[in-house]
Amino acid sequence: MLRNDAPLVDRLRYIYIRRKGPVYAAISDVIDDQYPKEPRPLIIKQIKLADKAHRFLIHLPPGKGFDEFKKKERLFADATGGSLLIEKRGTTIIMEVLTEELKKSYPYSLYDHTKYNSMHLPFPIGMSAKGLLVRDLAEYPHFFTGGETNFGKSNALHVIANSILLSRPDTYLVIVDPKSTEFAYLEDYALVVDEMQHAKILFQKLNHEMDKRKKILKKANCVKVQKYLTQGGDMPFIIVIIDEMAELQDKETIDHLWRLLRMGRFTGIHIIAATQRPSSKVFDNFGDVKAMFLGRLAFICADSINSHMILDNDRAAHLEAIQGRAIYKCGLEMIEVQTLFLDPEDAAMLLKDSKDRRLKKVDFFINQPSERLPPRQNLALPPGGMPGSRHRPN
Ligand SMILES: Nc1ncnc2c1ncn2[C@@H]1O[C@H](COP(=O)(O)OP(=O)(O)OP(=O)(O)O)[C@@H](O)[C@H]1O
Ligand SMILES: [Mg+2]
């Protein structure tokens, strides 16, 4: 509070700051308190991102470091009552303050896939204080979700699978689901692999496919599949969803998967993996491939060590224990979200309503020597050409 006998200039500044709104005022108060004797306001710009989301550009006075400023994050968060993201761009500090309180549940029906035609593989990450966050899976190339059991990893995978099925009928979807039968409802639309020896064959074949695609792209002078597609080329995206990645214990299987992760970049093969804790005890050399998962979604973690394994920071250890609440991170972007909830029964209905968009199964998978493929899948899959052949199952 300003004292009654404060000089006029201080009174005017006080009024000026209050008129800019409570969030601006709260930040300004903390700055005044932490950086006294600065003649000029340090906030140089306030940008409104949404009703309850603001971005501030802040210039620190010479000699005051970013690290010192970042340590005051808790003070700013307490003063504004919001969640914060502080980062440095050149000599400017960017501070995003989100004061919107997220609800405990948002239905999947909030997502309208028809609005994102400009993206290759759109899917909703979740509701954030800035509104619904929708991203393009094709940009990542790979996506990882982790966190304690029963907080929403599999639900996030259902959301991704369904969003892709609804908006990209020419995508091959493969689901590796070693633990349960959760994804059985997608068997008409995707290749669902639930036995470990089949997962090994699958990853082997995907490696062949990746090598083949690389040659095709190189010959066409395309650095990535998106460019090839804009030139009229035919190369369907292949999305491989792996629930409970920790169940993949066989060394050869893991080696095939790691190679896909390391080298599949830009060939249109995207891996989306979920597991509670991606520790190096569970996976040999996970540290080597972790960076390939540019998109990460961490539900609540038991402690900061587990949060670090997924996000490289401790944010997920401090999440509220709400199912579906997560921290999304991609490069410099990091934000709290409430993922959309999709009941598998509703999902089955959604897909039924869009029969015309029905996906074909992964015919490249059966067109290579079938080795020990399960008879069920051999039977279920239609005969067809190699990738690119437009064959629809009945
Ligand atoms: N976004 C959400 N909003 C509301 N509830 C959710 C959300 N996501 C998940 N849940 C609830 O949490 C339960 C557990 O979710 P889910 O099975 O996805 O967790 P999980 O992390 O995969 O667990 P596990 O590690 O045991 O496989 C769901 O049955 C659902 O009731
Ligand atoms: Mg699960």
Side-chain angles (χ1 to χ4, degrees):
M1 272 311 281
L2 200 67
R3 285 174 36 193
N4 279 342
D5 58 350
L8 182 62
V9 60
D10 286 350
R11 284 163 182 255
L12 288 175
R13 182 159 180 250
Y14 183 83
I15 293 166
Y16 168 79
I17 286 170
R18 299 303 114 175
R19 287 184 64 175
K20 290 202 162 250
V23 180
Y24 188 104
I27 291 173
S28 196
D29 286 348
V30 175
I31 290 179
D32 283 352
D33 186 52
Q34 297 293 311
Y35 296 92
K37 299 190 202 121
E38 290 305 327
R40 285 175 297 116
L42 303 184
I43 303 173
I44 50 169
K45 200 168 184 186
Q46 174 178 221
I47 301 160
K48 193 169 175 183
L49 301 173
D51 263 357
K52 295 194 173 173
H54 294 85
R55 178 178 294 149
F56 296 89
L57 307 190
I58 296 167
H59 263 187
L60 283 184
K64 308 282 182 190
F66 172 71
D67 292 343
E68 185 192 331
F69 187 87
K70 183 113 168 79
K71 280 189 196 139
K72 305 184 195 301
E73 183 167 341
R74 204 59 266 155
L75 293 174
F76 288 111
D78 289 346
T80 56
S83 65
L84 251 70
L85 176 64
I86 299 178
E87 64 189 52
K88 189 167 180 273
R89 299 230 180 110
T91 55
T92 306
I93 289 176
I94 316 258
M95 184 196 295
E96 281 187 6
V97 185
L98 312 173
T99 54
E100 172 84 53
E101 186 125 339
L102 292 174
K103 291 195 228 160
K104 292 193 172 160
S105 182
Y106 295 93
Y108 181 72
S109 55
L110 289 178
Y111 172 62
D112 177 359
H113 68 88
T114 59
K115 282 192 185 161
Y116 301 93
N117 289 339
S118 61
M119 293 185 182
H120 287 284
L121 301 167
F123 73 102
I125 304 275
M127 189 58 79
S128 76
K130 294 191 214 171
L132 185 64
L133 215 63
V134 177
R135 293 290 178 265
D136 188 351
L137 186 67
E139 297 298 322
Y140 284 121
H142 309 301
F143 192 89
F144 184 83
T145 178
E148 285 305 299
T149 181
N150 210 31
F151 275 92
K153 298 182 296 293
S154 298
N155 175 69
L157 299 183
H158 287 293
V159 165
I160 296 177
N162 279 271
S163 305
I164 289 165
L165 287 170
L166 287 170
S167 58
R168 283 305 296 243
D170 58 339
T171 304
Y172 292 119
L173 183 66
V174 183
I175 296 169
V176 181
D177 181 20
K179 199 176 96 172
S180 68
T181 52
E182 261 197 71
F183 292 89
Y185 75 99
L186 287 178
E187 283 199 336
D188 279 349
Y189 307 91
L191 182 72
V192 183
V193 176
D194 51 14
E195 289 178 40
M196 286 308 92
Q197 71 267 38
H198 301 150
K200 179 152 88 180
I201 301 170
L202 172 75
F203 292 139
Q204 224 168 25
K205 293 194 169 187
L206 284 171
N207 268 282
H208 291 154
E209 177 65 17
M210 172 179 78
D211 294 337
K212 204 179 73 189
R213 286 180 168 215
K214 274 187 181 165
K215 280 184 199 142
I216 296 172
L217 291 175
K218 197 172 168 195
K219 209 166 155 196
N221 243 331
C222 294
V223 275
K224 56 180 175 177
V225 73
Q226 285 94 319
K227 187 170 176 220
Y228 188 68
L229 294 176
T230 56
Q231 291 181 359
D234 187 14
M235 193 174 276
F237 286 102
I238 300 175
I239 312 299
V240 186
I241 292 182
I242 310 169
D243 201 359
E244 300 297 342
M245 189 165 72
E247 298 287 315
L248 302 178
Q249 287 294 333
D250 172 66
K251 185 171 177 330
E252 231 183 296
T253 309
I254 299 269
D255 285 348
H256 288 313
L257 177 59
W258 276 197
R259 185 171 180 269
L260 276 175
L261 283 165
R262 277 199 311 270
M263 301 167 67
R265 226 178 144 80
F266 308 134
T267 59
I269 301 175
H270 300 279
I271 314 283
I272 300 159
T275 204
Q276 263 188 55
R277 299 150 199 230
S279 78
S280 46
K281 278 191 201 130
V282 181
F283 302 110
D284 271 355
N285 310 323
F286 184 72
D288 297 347
V289 291
K290 186 169 144 185
M292 297 298 139
F293 291 104
L294 200 56
R296 311 215 188 136
L297 187 69
F299 294 88
I300 193 170
C301 290
D303 51 38
S304 59
I305 298 172
N306 282 293
S307 175
H308 265 272
M309 280 177 210
I310 304 165
L311 295 174
D312 301 315
N313 63 50
D314 64 1
R315 284 281 297 269
H318 304 303
L319 277 172
E320 262 189 273
I322 296 172
Q323 285 171 321
R325 190 60 54 92
I327 301 289
Y328 165 69
K329 184 180 171 203
C330 179
L332 286 176
E333 184 183 25
M334 184 158 63
I335 190 165
E336 186 171 329
V337 293
Q338 176 68 26
T339 58
L340 303 186
F341 180 60
L342 177 60
D343 189 316
E345 267 180 38
D346 295 343
M349 288 305 290
L350 269 179
L351 294 172
K352 221 165 118 209
D353 286 347
S354 59
K355 260 198 183 123
D356 55 324
R357 295 179 156 267
R358 188 175 262 233
L359 266 190
K360 63 188 163 187
K361 294 230 180 174
V362 190
D363 49 6
F364 78 90
F365 187 59
I366 52 155
N367 275 302
Q368 296 180 36
S370 66
E371 289 150 32
R372 289 149 293 163
L373 283 183
R376 172 167 60 83
Q377 278 157 4
N378 272 334
L379 285 174
L381 296 169
M386 295 298 281
S389 70
R390 303 276 173 203
H391 189 103
R392 263 171 203 285
N394 299 319

